[in-house]
Amino acid sequence: HRACVWACADMDARVARGVKEKLGVASADVEGLADASYDLPDGKKLTVTAAHRARMADPLFEPMLVGEACGGLTQLVGDCIKLRDRDGVLQSEQFGKDGTALWYQNVVLAGGSSLFPGIAKRLEGELLTRAPKGATPTVHAPADREHAAWVGGAILGSLAVMDQMWITKEEYDENGPLIVHRKCLF
């Protein structure tokens, strides 16, 4: 019974991901967008209107739409840029700039949910409302971003310094999450 429930949940997740990847668009602009269909595993066809296709990515920007009480992607990027220099190392008095504008100009998308067509343009537009004066947000969306975390992990894992960063279960049990900061964020 558990295997059946797991298989159904897994299939539901795969179907949802397939619908998202094939039909979803991250754009408020519905003009020029057509209704589209997706063939379900049971042979039925799911038809999604242009308006619904354009709204599929909305929870990334407004998590409250799906019951989450956190900020969306735009807020997350803005908060990350604000927190980038908590220790003051990057602050510069030269020409009165601290590099914030450069951070807004170099936002890079990664991961499967960043594959929505139009997501870079939408994020740029929303960041423009949050960015400080003089900063022009530019969002880069590399073609291979779906596997960026895997590629980054593979590169990190191949570095010679990685042997010093391994954390055993015993170390974690003894130190808790702080061991990650001690061994990995030198």
Side-chain angles (χ1 to χ4, degrees):
H1 182 260
R2 282 186 183 183
C4 180
V5 170
W6 179 83
C8 289
D10 187 46
M11 184 185 333
D12 290 346
R14 281 185 284 155
V15 170
R17 189 175 79 220
V19 170
K20 174 186 84 167
E21 291 174 356
K22 300 285 190 239
L23 305 182
V25 178
S27 174
D29 183 18
V30 182
E31 270 187 56
L33 193 60
D35 294 356
S37 298
Y38 183 84
D39 294 325
L40 297 170
D42 64 1
K44 294 180 183 175
K45 187 175 289 248
L46 173 69
T47 301
V48 180
T49 65
H52 283 106
R53 290 181 64 203
R55 300 217 46 214
M56 282 185 172
D58 285 356
L60 292 173
F61 295 91
E62 299 176 59
M64 289 185 65
L65 292 172
V66 291
E68 295 294 326
C70 57
L73 185 58
T74 309
Q75 180 180 337
L76 178 64
V77 171
D79 290 350
C80 287
I81 291 173
K82 284 181 191 172
L83 291 172
R84 79 193 185 285
D85 191 23
R86 293 190 329 191
D87 60 2
V89 173
L90 298 175
Q91 288 186 0
S92 169
E93 298 304 319
Q94 185 178 15
F95 306 112
K97 296 185 179 185
D98 68 354
T100 300
L102 292 174
W103 284 84
Y104 274 97
Q105 291 171 0
N106 290 289
V107 175
V108 180
L109 293 175
S113 289
S114 72
L115 296 175
F116 282 107
I119 195 166
K121 183 178 178 183
R122 179 170 175 182
L123 183 56
E124 277 181 5
E126 292 198 14
L127 284 173
L128 191 56
T129 65
R130 294 180 63 99
K133 185 178 178 182
T136 305
T138 303
V139 177
H140 305 276
D144 61 348
R145 66 188 179 271
E146 179 180 13
H147 303 292
W150 174 259
V151 171
I155 291 169
L156 181 62
S158 69
L159 297 176
V161 71
M162 193 61 201
D163 289 342
Q164 301 162 14
M165 298 169 75
W166 291 117
I167 299 169
T168 65
K169 180 180 181 333
E170 291 78 21
E171 287 175 310
Y172 189 86
D173 288 344
E174 183 179 325
N175 298 284
L178 288 177
I179 192 68
V180 176
H181 295 283
R182 283 190 213 133
K183 290 189 91 171
C184 302
L185 305 173
F186 20 84

